[in-house]
Amino acid sequence: MTAQLDLDVAIEAGNWSDAEQEAIMGAVKAALRAATQDGALWDEACDQSLLDQAGVIEVSVTLSDDARVRDLNRDYRGKDAPTNVLSFAALESDEGASDFAMASDMPLMLGDIVIARETCEREAIEQNKPLLHHLIHLSVHGTLHLVGYDHMVDDEAEHMEQLERHILAGMGIDDPYAPIEDQDVETGQ
């Protein structure tokens, strides 16, 4: 990725440390680099990724709480419950990259990521992993959604998870999809 990254991280609610904010920023950058190398948002006409064509890439990350994320999840996904991370991609999908007309002086706006503090803390405890590692994983996951990766179909899910593992390994973080020690894989107990 050759573009400059305009990354806005805002705290909407919750107690977020400077170290967490820095780690989340690093995770977004690492995910974008890996996605570019993987061919995300590939423009067949130019034979390169939109991520390499743009002079500036914009991403917004909002650090929030369960109440706000629950509202967003209900309003945009029809699920009246908090979740760990939501991504709102500005582009419909990676398949339309060749049809995307981008003026050379305009930034490529990828979208918004919103992370819920309490859900992340609870999941980190349940999964017996450091909160910081979980936040980094969710930031990578959310960023990959912004550039067209999804996990609704098995093949796509496998590819996305493998890319996440690769990115996280490069950051010194264990496989987030590995079974939790002393937990039955079938029942999760």
Side-chain angles (χ1 to χ4, degrees):
M1 181 179 82
T2 57
Q4 173 188 336
L5 179 60
D6 182 2
L7 177 57
D8 179 44
V9 177
I11 298 175
E12 182 178 65
N15 184 21
W16 299 86
S17 72
D18 289 344
E20 290 167 341
Q21 292 175 66
E22 289 295 322
I24 288 167
M25 290 170 58
V28 170
K29 291 174 186 174
L32 289 173
R33 280 192 304 272
T36 302
Q37 293 170 350
D38 194 54
L41 299 177
W42 195 257
D43 182 350
E44 295 291 335
C46 295
D47 199 31
Q48 70 182 68
S49 170
L50 290 178
L51 300 171
D52 277 330
Q53 293 177 42
V56 176
I57 295 172
E58 292 184 356
V59 175
S60 171
V61 178
T62 302
L63 306 176
S64 196
D65 60 10
D66 279 2
R68 177 67 176 137
V69 171
R70 179 182 182 162
D71 289 345
L72 292 170
N73 205 20
R74 180 193 62 231
D75 295 349
Y76 292 96
R77 295 181 65 225
K79 297 181 179 185
D80 191 13
T83 189
N84 50 24
V85 64
L86 291 171
S87 296
F88 299 95
L91 301 175
E92 288 293 318
S93 76
D94 63 333
E95 294 174 14
S98 293
D99 299 328
F100 183 75
M102 180 171 53
S104 60
D105 61 339
M106 294 296 293
L108 174 59
M109 292 180 273
L110 293 181
D112 304 302
I113 300 168
V114 184
I115 302 174
R117 179 79 189 189
E118 299 95 334
T119 296
C120 293
E121 289 174 340
R122 185 174 54 259
E123 289 175 345
I125 291 167
E126 290 169 358
Q127 297 170 22
N128 196 28
K129 62 176 73 169
L131 174 60
L132 190 61
H133 289 189
H134 194 46
L135 291 172
I136 290 169
H137 173 224
L138 294 173
S139 300
V140 166
H141 185 87
T143 302
L144 292 179
H145 276 308
L146 295 184
V147 294
Y149 292 87
D150 208 346
H151 46 79
M152 300 304 287
V153 178
D154 285 347
D155 290 354
E156 293 174 1
E158 188 175 316
H159 182 76
M160 183 175 178
E161 289 175 11
Q162 193 58 35
L163 186 55
E164 289 175 32
R165 287 181 181 103
H166 171 75
I167 295 164
L168 295 171
M171 299 176 82
I173 297 174
D174 292 335
D175 179 355
Y177 298 105
I180 300 168
E181 281 187 38
D182 300 327
Q183 187 178 74
D184 184 287
V185 178
E186 297 291 321
T187 65
Q189 302 292 322

